Amino acid sequence: MIVGIGQDSHRFDFENTEKKLILGGVIFDDAPPLEGNSDADVILHSITNAISGVTCVNILGPVSDDLCLNKGIKDSKVYLKEALKHLNGRRILHLSISIECLIPKITPKIPEIRKSLSELLCIPENSIGITATTGEGLTSFGQGKGIQVFSCITVE
């Protein structure tokens, strides 16, 4: 068994009216988008980093920069799929995600996020735990300035 931990955070882009907020591959219409060169899906970025923690191949950085900046691929699902290639036959058994933000409200969309992640990772929905907190407003994320996500994967 191997455990990988990933983290990512992005601030909101309150000026951008064209971009949508996407979390775990799910569109949220009730909040501003996140800043970033890509779609800034902070959940998928955190999971990608957790996989990199297992494979020792950093995807977010040189690989995602090439895909995004040179090839125009802004969909974070592509970065996650790139990370999955490096598992070399190892299998994700469980994923746990902790999300910190004031907005949007995460809990109503947890089933939809779990379904999306289940399809992307080819694991059962009941192997994906998602929690959300405002952190009592102690950080910029809990104060509504952005979103932070921690992910922990268990791989065999």
Side-chain angles (χ1 to χ4, degrees):
M1 301 289 228
I2 302 171
V3 174
I5 299 171
Q7 182 274 345
D8 196 45
S9 58
H10 287 268
R11 69 181 73 242
F12 286 116
D13 185 348
F14 293 103
E15 307 299 318
N16 192 331
T17 58
E18 302 296 315
K19 194 175 181 181
K20 297 281 187 184
L21 174 64
I22 302 172
L23 299 174
V26 174
I27 295 174
F28 281 70
D29 291 317
D30 58 344
L34 293 168
E35 284 185 15
N37 292 325
S38 68
D39 61 14
D41 188 328
V42 69
I43 291 177
L44 296 187
H45 292 186
S46 177
I47 296 167
T48 299
N49 282 334
I51 294 168
S52 291
V54 168
T55 65
C56 301
V57 178
N58 289 330
I59 300 301
L60 297 183
V63 175
S64 65
D65 285 351
D66 179 54
L67 290 168
C68 182
L69 302 175
N70 297 331
K71 297 178 180 162
I73 300 171
K74 298 185 181 296
D75 185 347
S76 294
K77 291 177 198 164
V78 175
Y79 314 151
L80 177 60
K81 288 176 185 176
E82 189 64 32
L84 290 169
K85 291 178 188 177
H86 296 279
L87 283 174
N88 296 327
R90 290 175 282 197
R91 186 171 61 104
I92 298 173
L93 300 177
H94 189 267
L95 170 66
S96 180
I97 301 168
S98 178
I99 305 164
E100 183 182 358
C101 61
L102 180 62
I103 56 172
K105 294 298 180 199
I106 302 296
T107 302
K109 292 243 188 183
I110 286 177
E112 194 175 346
I113 296 170
R114 288 175 76 211
K115 183 177 187 322
S116 172
L117 295 177
S118 170
E119 291 169 1
L120 284 167
L121 300 172
C122 299
I123 62 174
E125 289 180 42
N126 66 1
S127 294
I128 302 169
I130 301 174
T131 60
T133 182
T134 63
E136 300 297 324
L138 294 173
T139 69
S140 296
F141 309 107
Q143 294 165 7
K145 297 177 183 175
I147 302 176
Q148 174 171 247
V149 178
F150 287 92
S151 296
C152 181
I153 60 168
T154 305
V155 176
E156 76 168 348

